[in-house]
Amino acid sequence: MAHHCFSRFLDLSLFRGLKGNQVISCADILSAMLLRGIGQKLQMAYGLNARLLGFLKSSRDKVILPCGDIAALVYLWNPFTIVSCVGLSTSPIETLAVILALFGAVTRRVPLAAFGFVMATHLSLYPATLAIPMIILLGYGLDAPPIKLFLQTRSVENEKSSTSTVTKQAKSKQTTHLPFLWKTVMHFLFWVLLWSLYVLVLCALSLNKYGGVEEMFKRTYGFILSIEDLSPNIGVFWYFFAEVFDFFRNFFLIVFHVNVLFMLLPLAIRLKHRPCFLAFVYLAISSILKSYPSVGDSALYLSLCALFVNELVDMKFSFFLFCGYLGISLLSPVMHNLWIWRGTGNANFYFGNAIGYACFQIVFVVESVSAMLNHDRALRRSSSNHGEVNS
């Protein structure tokens, strides 16, 4: 009888585990499909902008890499994605919500974008930073070179085509900025408010016997912001707040969390013409400065980075970063085993690995932003040289 009960329990456990793996695998497949759709839109926009600027006369002039296919493959075959799936982590569900929000914004499906944004923010606090790039994306459109390049190219073409007074008057009326679609943005904010109210009502009804919405916020967002659990993870907060004095704890909590907010506005001003790339940068910074990061966060921003393979082709230290990520991925479980299970090491073994992981992520973000800005500068120089040759 006892053996039969144990076998029954084992069968139920295996069934539940298989069901969880199926849900997470479906989430990963859907995320890859949505990434491919985002990449196809960005690829079309990249080719169109290149032809408008005169850098791509035909489809055979320059090979445009299929960024959507590459991003989907990078996500599906990323070891971090596989580890998250095998470990039955909820990171793939959060990743699906984030990618769904970006896909809705790229395709101008406003209700879908709002739904993904609300669900991503509900599951984890940090995707709330995506509000800025999504508003820019819905207001101005997909990633493109700076508007000055198009105005410069258009003025050169006008000078070549005609010198009549009508053309000069048309040139004088050209705007120096793109129109912002306020109606679409307000539509997005309306749907965000609607979905938020819907989620809060469902949470209030389901958690009525457990303290209601207030208790939910305390145990979710409050838990993230207060960093009460100091269990070892791949982040750096747990070690720092385990060593800091209690008198300074609240001060450093404010400093660490506000540090994320201080980076949002300058990056939004500098990269407002590339909202999808801005979303990638925000997610990468959030994964570095999260209270409780996971490898699923790295799988998300690495796959989003693959969407910009055409722009980041000249990125520096790529091989160095690849070796760094590979080394950290292999050393982290070893150091954790030496410290937690065998007891032959101490916390510094694992924390040194976490510091190295954070440093590699910082270098990755800095070099990717630098490569994108260098790409825009190269386009500006090529456009000016093209105008001088034609003149």
Side-chain angles (χ1 to χ4, degrees):
M1 181 68 180
H3 177 72
H4 175 72
C5 293
F6 177 75
S7 300
R8 181 64 176 171
F9 172 76
L10 183 61
D11 293 339
L12 290 174
S13 300
L14 290 175
F15 174 75
R16 289 174 182 174
L18 181 62
K19 188 175 181 180
N21 280 327
Q22 289 176 348
V23 172
I24 293 174
S25 299
C26 291
D28 285 334
I29 293 173
L30 287 176
S31 298
M33 294 173 63
L34 294 175
L35 277 173
R36 186 172 182 269
I38 295 173
Q40 289 176 347
K41 289 289 185 180
L42 291 176
Q43 182 180 348
M44 292 173 59
Y46 181 84
L48 177 61
N49 294 327
R51 283 189 289 270
L52 290 176
L53 292 173
F55 303 132
L56 190 65
K57 299 298 183 182
S58 64
S59 59
R60 298 181 180 179
D61 290 347
K62 181 183 177 181
V63 177
I64 300 178
L65 299 176
C67 55
D69 297 338
I70 295 175
L73 291 175
V74 168
Y75 179 77
L76 288 177
W77 292 101
N78 195 326
F80 294 153
T81 306
I82 298 174
V83 168
S84 299
C85 180
V86 173
L88 296 179
S89 173
T90 57
S91 296
I93 309 298
E94 301 173 10
T95 299
L96 176 61
V98 172
I99 297 177
L100 184 65
L102 294 177
F103 177 80
V106 167
T107 57
R108 295 302 180 92
R109 294 181 172 91
V110 177
L112 183 64
F115 175 77
F117 175 76
V118 170
M119 293 306 301
T121 308
H122 176 70
L123 296 174
S124 179
L125 177 63
Y126 294 94
T129 58
L130 293 178
I132 297 177
M134 290 185 67
I135 289 175
I136 298 175
L137 184 58
L138 292 171
Y140 287 119
L142 291 172
D143 295 33
I147 187 61
K148 294 180 181 179
L149 293 180
F150 294 100
L151 296 177
Q152 182 179 357
T153 305
R154 191 179 300 174
S155 63
V156 171
E157 292 177 354
N158 288 335
E159 290 177 358
K160 289 177 59 180
S161 60
S162 176
T163 57
S164 62
T165 57
V166 177
T167 305
K168 292 180 180 180
Q169 291 177 0
K171 287 165 54 180
S172 63
K173 294 181 180 180
Q174 288 179 352
T175 58
T176 59
H177 62 278
L178 289 174
F180 190 80
L181 303 179
W182 287 103
K183 184 177 179 180
T184 305
V185 173
M186 296 304 296
H187 191 202
F188 170 73
L189 296 178
F190 168 76
W191 276 102
V192 167
L193 179 61
L194 188 63
W195 286 120
S196 299
L197 292 176
Y198 184 71
V199 171
L200 289 177
V201 169
L202 290 180
C203 291
L205 293 176
S206 60
L207 300 175
N208 189 24
K209 299 180 180 180
Y210 304 98
V213 178
E214 183 179 356
E215 187 68 17
M216 182 194 71
F217 283 134
K218 181 180 178 181
R219 293 181 178 272
T220 54
Y221 297 155
F223 182 83
I224 294 173
L225 296 176
S226 60
I227 316 181
E228 298 175 358
D229 186 8
L230 300 179
S231 300
N233 52 63
I234 59 175
V236 296
F237 281 21
W238 63 272
Y239 187 88
F240 182 84
F241 284 99
E243 299 293 335
V244 73
F245 293 106
D246 293 337
F247 180 77
F248 298 103
R249 179 180 174 84
N250 293 332
F251 170 75
F252 282 106
L253 279 175
I254 296 174
V255 171
F256 273 69
H257 291 305
V258 172
N259 190 26
V260 180
L261 301 178
F262 280 158
M263 300 181 185
L264 300 183
L265 187 58
L267 288 171
I269 295 174
R270 189 64 183 88
L271 297 171
K272 63 181 180 180
H273 59 287
R274 296 192 180 274
C276 289
F277 183 77
L278 182 64
F280 149 71
V281 175
Y282 280 3
L283 290 173
I285 293 175
S286 298
S287 67
I288 300 172
L289 300 176
K290 286 180 72 171
S291 303
Y292 303 100
S294 66
V295 293
D297 302 324
S298 300
L300 172 59
Y301 73 75
L302 287 174
S303 60
L304 290 178
C305 181
L307 293 173
F308 309 98
V309 290
N310 293 295
E311 293 88 348
L312 303 180
V313 65
D314 295 326
M315 180 177 171
K316 298 179 181 178
F317 307 117
S318 300
F319 182 73
F320 170 74
L321 291 171
F322 172 78
C323 294
Y325 273 83
L326 181 61
I328 293 297
S329 301
L330 296 177
L331 286 177
S332 291
V334 174
M335 296 302 177
H336 188 272
N337 183 40
L338 289 176
W339 176 33
I340 300 298
W341 298 107
R342 297 182 180 273
T344 57
N346 53 35
N348 294 325
F349 282 55
Y350 190 74
F351 180 66
N353 221 40
I355 285 289
Y357 181 60
C359 291
F360 280 115
Q361 291 184 98
I362 292 172
V363 174
F364 178 75
V365 173
V366 171
E367 290 301 324
S368 60
V369 173
S370 177
M372 182 62 74
L373 296 178
N374 290 334
H375 176 74
D376 289 340
R377 295 190 189 100
L379 290 179
R380 189 177 297 110
R381 289 194 297 267
S382 300
S383 178
S384 59
N385 294 334
H386 181 71
E388 292 176 358
V389 170
N390 289 334
S391 60

